[in-house]
Amino acid sequence: MEKIFHSALKRLGLARPSTTKAVAPSTAAEVPREDLPDFSALVAEERRRIEALNTTPESSSGFEEDEDTYVGTDGEEDKQRHVSQSGPMTSDEFRMRAKDLVEYMANYLDQLSDRRVTPAVKPGYLRPRLPEDPPMQGESWDRIMLDVDLHIMTGMTHWQHPRFHAYFPAGNSYPSIMAGMLSDAIGCVGFSWAASPACTELETIVLDWLGRMVDLPKKFLPFTPGGAGGGVLQGSASECILVSLLAARLTAVRELESKSENKGIDRRMLLTKLRAYCSDEAHSSVQKAAMIALVEIRIIPVDDKYGLNSVTLAEYIQKDRDAGLVPFFVSARIKQQK
């Protein structure tokens, strides 16, 4: 930790010759938390220096990746980049560092309104600040967190900022953060019931709750007697649209293959008959999903209320059916009940 502090001072031109007697390096677990150096002033000074360098046209970063040396309090030169002295993280160090990280996250969220929403960096800002090759040995936790503050946070767009109004809401409550921590600790990949019965059944129950909250027809719900409803949680809205379109495409192709007039016809030929629909105000991910699925999609103009009018949609569908095409997918939003 002392080497990190003094090497950072050296980069700022503030390092002084050491007069401290040589001591053996101590592990992170042996360092009392109250004795750790306060990096706040150092980080602020380093950030101001980096911002000044970014305004210089011919400067890419303030960090040179040559054979720099780092001076510790024992006066020894260390050409390794702050290699962790403790080896793989132990459960005791994990407990300590996790508490530190929770404190870091809480402070970040508490002080988020003091930050600017978008970063003052240019494309490609990060590459010169990081080593050209991945590290061969792990670095100390304190050094990693210093890098996070100096190089990662300075390039973040803060989606949880109170003045961030772009794209869409991205909820990040304290309970959801803790749920993510617990999920990561369990480390389960629940791709089937056998892989994790609890994951599979909890997902089905939560989807049933969600479906009833938005008043979906019962045939779409998983616990409807005799129904074929259900589904799985996806990582993003774009992923959900793609998976839904692929599932609808498979169902439509199977129906076409079951007809006698289509016996022996290649599936790729059947795809040319399929038609999907969305409004011209739909998210671009809908059209991208159709491109990935190799199907045509009709873009329907919205009405004066920016909605997909059912009468106009029916006209498009009927026109395609008259042309021998097969409508199979409509991307529409759910209208909230008043």
Side-chain angles (χ1 to χ4, degrees), residues 31-52:
V31 180
R33 306 310 299 165
E34 61 271 14
D35 293 340
L36 290 179
D38 181 8
F39 276 96
S40 57
L42 175 64
V43 169
E45 179 65 27
E46 182 76 346
R47 185 177 288 116
R48 285 193 292 270
R49 189 177 70 84
I50 291 171
E51 290 175 354

Side-chain angles (χ1 to χ4, degrees), residues 117-321:
V117 180
T118 55
V121 296
K122 296 179 180 180
Y125 90 97
L126 186 59
R127 182 68 183 90
R129 299 188 184 190
L130 299 182
E132 183 176 350
D133 298 312
M136 298 300 294
Q137 294 176 291
E139 297 179 349
S140 68
W141 180 260
D142 296 288
R143 174 68 208 191
I144 292 171
M145 291 307 298
L146 184 60
D147 282 349
V148 168
D149 205 24
L150 291 178
H151 308 311
I152 304 305
M153 283 301 181
T154 55
M156 288 298 299
T157 297
H158 300 287
W159 279 56
Q160 307 305 320
H161 200 287
R163 294 193 297 276
F164 180 83
H165 305 298
Y167 307 117
F168 46 82
N172 196 28
S173 65
Y174 293 122
S176 71
I177 295 173
M178 291 191 292
M181 294 169 63
L182 177 59
S183 177
D184 289 341
I186 296 173
C188 171
V189 182
F191 51 76
S192 67
W193 189 91
S196 180
C199 285
T200 305
E201 297 194 14
L202 179 61
E203 182 178 35
T204 304
I205 294 169
V206 171
L207 282 170
D208 179 64
W209 290 348
L210 179 61
R212 289 189 283 118
M213 285 169 62
V214 298
D215 200 24
L216 280 181
K218 290 185 177 182
K219 63 181 180 180
F220 291 108
L221 302 178
F223 298 118
T224 300
V232 293
L233 296 173
Q234 302 296 333
S236 69
S238 299
E239 184 181 349
C240 181
I241 291 171
L242 173 60
V243 171
S244 299
L245 189 143
L246 291 175
R249 186 191 72 170
L250 178 61
T251 300
V253 168
R254 284 177 174 174
E255 290 181 357
L256 288 174
E257 288 177 330
S258 65
K259 296 181 180 180
S260 57
E261 63 268 24
N262 294 325
K263 294 295 183 181
I265 298 180
D266 192 284
R267 276 194 172 188
R268 290 171 292 183
M269 296 299 298
L270 296 178
L271 290 180
T272 63
K273 293 185 175 183
L274 301 183
R275 289 296 180 270
Y277 306 88
C278 72
S279 77
D280 56 3
E281 291 291 334
H283 193 271
S284 60
S285 60
V286 181
Q287 296 182 49
K288 291 178 181 178
M291 293 172 60
I292 295 173
L294 301 176
V295 295
E296 293 289 333
I297 186 167
R298 302 289 196 209
I299 312 298
I300 303 175
V302 297
D303 57 21
D304 56 354
K305 296 182 179 180
Y306 300 98
L308 181 59
N309 188 279
S310 60
V311 175
T312 306
L313 174 62
E315 292 174 353
Y316 272 77
I317 291 177
Q318 188 59 51
K319 186 181 297 185
D320 284 338
R321 282 176 173 165

